[in-house]
Amino acid sequence: MSIVADAPWCRGTPLCEACEVRMLAVCRGIDPGELPQLAALATCRRVESGRMLFDEGDAATEVYTMTSGVVRLSKLLPDGRRQIVGFMLPGDFLGMAFGGTYAFAAEAVTAVVACRFARPAFLRLLDEHPGLEKEILARTSTELAIAQAQMLLLGRKTARERLASFLLGFARRSSIAAGGEVELPMGRTDIADHLGLTIETVSRTFSDLRRTGLITLPSTHAFVIRREAELTRLADG
Amino acid sequence: MSIVADAPWCRGTPLCEACEVRMLAVCRGIDPGELPQLAALATCRRVESGRMLFDEGDAATEVYTMTSGVVRLSKLLPDGRRQIVGFMLPGDFLGMAFGGTYAFAAEAVTAVVACRFARPAFLRLLDEHPGLEKEILARTSTELAIAQAQMLLLGRKTARERLASFLLGFARRSSIAAGGEVELPMGRTDIADHLGLTIETVSRTFSDLRRTGLITLPSTHAFVIRREAELTRLADG
DNA sequence: CGCACTCTTGACCGCACTCAACGTTGGTGG
DNA sequence: CCACCAACGTTGAGTGCGGTCAAGAGTGCG
């Protein structure tokens, strides 16, 4: 991550190589011969840990493809209560707001590099490349299915079931190191705000899952799944 | 509703007039001259109250446009806990599952008439009509935004705030009768399973909102918003 | 080493859940 | 037409899961 994030050619235009690789994932369906022209429309953006890519309610002027790092998408109530509606990982696509304004804030959990398109140019691209539009529709549908699963979690699962579901889902999306260790870049507060719990309950539930042998915790920012079948049974009720 | 639902030409193929009107809403962006050809691809389906249009996990073979009635979309845990991820009203589009199987069950809350397309034929339609694909993408994105708002509700709002949000949202989507009366076709159990509460808490909270003068309840299946500003302030935290 | 920040753990509390009884409504058949 | 019954909704009493408040332990950085 840090190699890409620190690369000097990522600080501005034009598109860096790592971004170009990520962009291909989104843009499959486009004639490969047109990719250079496509790359010319995009720029690299590096965002420091904790900084905001855009805020809820901002005019939606840009869309992104994640190259490296982790982004949290969150919605706030006026009194400060927060719900994290998702975490974006490398390869994910982000910012496709219909209605003109973003429906959530996007903040960098770690240092982030993302491939940025101006929205009008991207929308024109959609018109010209039906394959690209189909890809975006498929991704949006997948996001919707994930959101519905999260509704089941938030509405009906216990704290243990929520954390088990989250850890399994995050492990599946992450690259897993030797020994089955999964890096957990976000803090307990972010996990709590994603699972509809408090940090104390998240912390207690981590300890609980460790005590009962379902996971181990090499550090506060990593975990290892020990009994996957049992954890899965817990997660799915 | 009952006029359309009972019409004999709604019980089978070909497409009834009411369905055709609804279909137009989804298919704006298609050359109007091609609509007869389009209508030939669709059939009407009537579903009795309480019956299922399709189940979670079923092979996704059909997509629907709602003509009349109300459908609930729900996900189940093995032990019976249920989360209703949404209610579909006339004009809504339903069943666009990527991945081959439906991610939720769809059941008729009232008698329902829906305009049905075979999925392969509909996907071919998407290829041939970029305007239709754009419309489906816009609708899916809107659904996603609604789902994210529901995550905030389920993760962070109190029972009062949840019910206030639901009533305001449902009123906005419904046709409102004289006197501001909004019909509420679903029972307390459905509302509870949508808001992540129990029927007792929903019932108590209805009484609470009535007692504090924010709403009135002409019957158990209707409500009137009395102090919209106050209800909105409650719903938004 | 010291400070700030995050995480963990403990004690207690409260909102929503559970269990239970009762009221209301609509459909059915005598 | 009314008695009966089943389904649904309401209300009350008590409980418990997760929240709140508070203290202490780990961790990283200057």
Side-chain angles (χ1 to χ4, degrees):
Chain A
M1 187 273 300
S2 61
I3 295 171
V4 171
D6 295 339
W9 33 260
C10 258
R11 297 184 186 278
T13 55
L15 204 62
C16 73
E17 290 169 33
C19 283
E20 198 168 306
V21 169
R22 290 299 180 188
M23 197 184 64
L24 291 180
V26 173
C27 300
R28 69 189 177 207
I30 287 192
D31 179 348
E34 299 188 46
L35 281 173
Q37 164 211 335
L38 198 65
L41 291 172
T43 59
C44 264
R45 182 172 176 193
R46 183 169 200 272
V47 182
E48 298 301 325
S49 161
R51 305 296 284 276
M52 203 175 274
L53 279 80
F54 52 78
D55 201 356
E56 185 175 356
D58 279 357
T61 56
E62 299 168 337
V63 300
Y64 296 91
T65 306
M66 294 282 296
T67 298
S68 69
V70 178
V71 166
R72 62 171 172 254
L73 310 181
S74 62
K75 294 174 76 75
L76 278 179
L77 288 172
D79 64 3
R81 280 175 288 172
R82 187 176 69 150
Q83 179 66 36
I84 292 181
V85 298
F87 292 104
M88 298 308 249
L89 302 183
D92 289 337
F93 179 77
L94 151 74
M96 200 62 190
F98 276 78
T101 60
Y102 296 116
F104 43 73
E107 293 159 300
V109 173
T110 64
V112 162
V113 178
C115 166
R116 167 173 56 180
F117 289 84
R119 200 157 160 273
F122 192 79
L123 292 179
R124 239 176 293 124
L125 224 54
L126 287 186
D127 286 338
E128 294 159 13
H129 302 276
L132 179 57
E133 187 158 52
K134 209 167 285 301
E135 175 68 21
I136 298 298
L137 176 55
R139 280 169 179 257
T140 307
S141 297
T142 303
E143 285 293 310
L144 181 56
I146 292 171
Q148 288 162 343
Q150 189 70 5
M151 285 192 240
L152 176 62
L153 180 152
L154 292 169
R156 290 302 180 213
K157 291 187 182 178
T158 65
R160 289 186 97 223
E161 291 165 349
R162 291 180 199 207
L163 190 55
S165 302
F166 172 69
L167 294 179
L168 282 166
F170 197 79
R172 208 176 314 121
R173 294 173 67 198
S174 298
S175 54
I176 301 177
E181 193 168 321
V182 181
E183 200 202 338
L184 211 52
M186 69 290 292
R188 298 294 189 257
T189 305
D190 284 345
I191 297 174
D193 285 346
H194 185 47
L195 302 182
L197 301 168
T198 59
I199 48 169
E200 293 94 330
T201 298
V202 169
S203 184
R204 269 187 258 272
T205 308
F206 263 115
S207 301
D208 186 18
L209 293 182
R210 177 176 47 68
R211 217 177 355 252
T212 49
L214 299 190
I215 61 170
T216 58
L217 297 168
S219 81
T220 56
H221 289 282
F223 66 95
V224 179
I225 294 175
R226 262 300 142 81
R227 303 194 204 154
E228 184 165 353
E230 210 166 324
L231 198 66
T232 303
R233 192 150 38 78
L234 175 60
D236 298 343
Chain B
M1 188 274 300
S2 62
I3 294 169
V4 171
D6 294 340
W9 32 260
C10 258
R11 297 185 185 276
T13 54
L15 204 61
C16 72
E17 288 170 34
C19 283
E20 198 168 306
V21 169
R22 291 299 181 186
M23 195 184 64
L24 291 180
V26 173
C27 300
R28 71 186 176 209
I30 287 193
D31 178 349
E34 301 189 44
L35 281 172
Q37 164 210 334
L38 199 63
L41 292 173
T43 59
C44 265
R45 182 174 175 191
R46 183 170 200 272
V47 181
E48 296 304 324
S49 162
R51 305 296 284 276
M52 202 174 276
L53 278 81
F54 52 78
D55 201 355
E56 184 177 357
D58 279 359
T61 55
E62 299 168 337
V63 300
Y64 297 89
T65 306
M66 294 281 299
T67 298
S68 69
V70 178
V71 166
R72 62 171 173 253
L73 310 182
S74 62
K75 291 173 77 74
L76 278 179
L77 288 172
D79 63 3
R81 282 176 286 172
R82 187 177 70 150
Q83 179 64 37
I84 291 181
V85 297
F87 292 105
M88 298 309 249
L89 301 183
D92 289 335
F93 178 77
L94 153 74
M96 201 60 192
F98 277 78
T101 60
Y102 297 116
F104 42 74
E107 293 159 298
V109 173
T110 64
V112 162
V113 178
C115 165
R116 168 175 54 178
F117 289 85
R119 198 157 159 271
F122 192 79
L123 292 179
R124 239 176 293 123
L125 224 53
L126 288 186
D127 287 337
E128 293 159 13
H129 303 276
L132 179 56
E133 186 157 55
K134 209 170 286 302
E135 174 68 19
I136 298 298
L137 177 55
R139 281 169 178 257
T140 307
S141 297
T142 303
E143 286 291 311
L144 181 57
I146 292 170
Q148 288 162 344
Q150 189 71 5
M151 284 191 241
L152 176 61
L153 180 151
L154 292 169
R156 290 301 180 215
K157 290 187 182 177
T158 65
R160 272 174 63 96
E161 291 165 349
R162 291 180 198 205
L163 189 56
S165 302
F166 172 69
L167 294 179
L168 281 166
F170 196 78
R172 207 174 315 121
R173 294 173 67 197
S174 297
S175 53
I176 301 177
E181 194 168 321
V182 181
E183 200 201 338
L184 210 53
M186 70 289 294
R188 298 295 189 255
T189 304
D190 285 344
I191 296 174
D193 285 345
H194 186 46
L195 301 182
L197 301 169
T198 59
I199 49 169
E200 293 95 331
T201 299
V202 168
S203 184
R204 270 186 258 272
T205 308
F206 263 115
S207 301
D208 186 17
L209 293 181
R210 177 176 47 68
R211 211 173 307 119
T212 49
L214 299 190
I215 61 171
T216 57
L217 296 169
S219 81
T220 57
H221 289 283
F223 66 96
V224 180
I225 294 175
R226 262 300 142 82
R227 304 194 205 154
E228 185 165 353
E230 210 166 325
L231 198 65
T232 303
R233 193 150 37 77
L234 175 60
D236 298 343

